[in-house]
Amino acid sequence: MLRALHYDAFGLRGNPWSPRLTALCGGQTMGLAYLALSRQIMGMNAILNHTLPALPWMEPALARLPGMRPVLDDAWTVQTETFAAQMAARDRLIADAAPVHALLPAGQAAAEEVYALMLARLRGTPGYAVTDASVTRPDGVGVPLRPDAPPQTLGRLVQEDVCLLTPGGMGEHTLSGAILCFPASWTLAEKLGRPMTAIHTPVRAYDGDMARRVQRLLDGVRVGQPLWRMNHNLYASADLFHPRPEAAPRLDAVPLYLRAERQCLLRLPQTGAIVFTIHTYLMRLADLGVGARAALFVAHGVAQ
């Protein structure tokens, strides 16, 4: 039953991506098929940042896991230099029915709540124009409002991906829905409906102790007091849409890019669900300062 729910919530029935993935697989792995399809839809033009909000590998408070800090000025969504380009990429993914959104019944109420919260937020955000029927973004693109499809609509309004975490069994939060246009080596299909421990299965540092610490953190998030952290990884490609099934090996033999995520946690006041937002930054390693790049390589055990 759960598998069928995932299939329907993920939108794969009748989804044009299903035969395209099957055709692309041929003699290659699913990981390579995802990469090839990513480049078909996204194109080859890299969307790169030139600055980061922090250098987490060089700041002790952020380097220590889980490295959470209070969000200042309620800035759990932000606009960066790549706003127009990233939003255009998000528009393409959603329009092409890419597997970037899903919603289970357990996440419906939270999805509706964060949808309303986001619209209220954007009404007071410079550059946005909000009416009852649509939102005009700072890049001038008009987005029709679809309260019947919260994830897809949210995905076209802000740069952040939005994941919904609701209380589940075994004392852990569960991923109940998301708009995930820019996955960093994971797939929404595999993680949907799973508890936090299972979601982080491939992550070596996510052991039993870390799982308990993260759950205490989620339980302790207070309404009106969002938290943030940043992660960082090295990649060979600049693909923002970078899904990778759990069984597929990483292909990033020669890192050329830094991929960092500004991740925020906030609690919804009505449903009590946790909203997990992800703002993705991509930079050429060559654009980092010499000292920052050297420290990053040390943090990842890369020979210089």
Side-chain angles (χ1 to χ4, degrees), residues 231-244:
N231 68 7
H232 49 90
N233 279 292
L234 305 179
Y235 278 78
S237 78
D239 299 314
L240 281 166
F241 179 69
H242 195 104
R244 179 171 63 91

Side-chain angles (χ1 to χ4, degrees), residues 19-252:
R20 290 166 66 187
L21 270 176
T22 302
L24 276 168
C25 275
Q28 60 186 334
T29 67
M30 181 63 78
L32 286 172
Y34 266 113
L35 181 60
L37 197 49
S38 166
R39 290 177 177 175
Q40 280 186 19
I41 188 170
M42 295 290 288
M44 296 302 292
N45 295 326
I47 301 173
L48 300 176
N49 294 87
H50 300 288
T51 60
L52 295 173
L55 302 178
W57 63 94
M58 298 183 71
E59 299 182 25
L62 294 174
R64 289 191 299 270
L65 294 176
M68 304 301 300
R69 308 294 297 167
V71 171
L72 300 180
D73 301 321
D74 200 36
W76 52 275
T77 62
V78 295
Q79 298 173 45
T80 65
E81 59 192 314
T82 58
F83 181 87
Q86 281 199 4
M87 295 311 300
R90 300 172 75 84
D91 289 344
R92 287 197 300 273
L93 285 164
I94 295 170
D96 204 50
V100 296
H101 61 83
L103 184 60
L104 295 177
Q108 183 66 43
E112 294 172 0
E113 185 177 2
V114 73
Y115 174 88
L117 179 66
M118 188 68 76
L119 290 182
R121 178 179 181 81
L122 296 183
R123 284 189 176 92
T125 301
Y128 283 90
V130 181
T131 70
D132 290 339
S134 66
V135 172
T136 302
R137 301 187 314 226
D139 59 355
V141 174
V143 178
L145 292 180
R146 292 187 56 197
D148 61 319
Q152 300 95 305
T153 307
L154 291 172
R156 298 195 60 205
L157 294 179
V158 294
Q159 285 180 267
E160 283 76 12
D161 285 319
V162 179
C163 300
L164 300 173
L165 304 175
T166 57
M170 305 299 290
E172 290 189 274
H173 278 70
T174 296
L175 180 61
S176 297
I179 176 70
L180 184 72
C181 291
F182 302 151
S185 297
W186 60 289
T187 68
L188 185 53
E190 287 186 326
K191 308 299 185 182
L192 186 68
R194 297 173 71 179
M196 294 296 291
T197 301
I199 288 172
H200 290 88
T201 295
V203 181
R204 295 177 184 175
Y206 204 90
D207 55 16
D209 178 63
M210 179 59 66
R212 288 186 289 272
R213 290 166 60 189
V214 169
Q215 189 55 52
R216 286 196 298 270
L217 172 67
L218 294 177
D219 290 339
V221 176
R222 299 180 179 180
V223 174
Q225 298 182 28
L227 303 171
W228 75 281
R229 67 181 295 268
M230 280 193 74
N231 68 7
H232 49 90
N233 279 292
L234 305 179
Y235 278 78
S237 78
D239 299 314
L240 281 166
F241 179 69
H242 195 104
R244 179 171 63 91
E246 289 180 4
R250 283 199 65 160
L251 306 174
D252 300 317

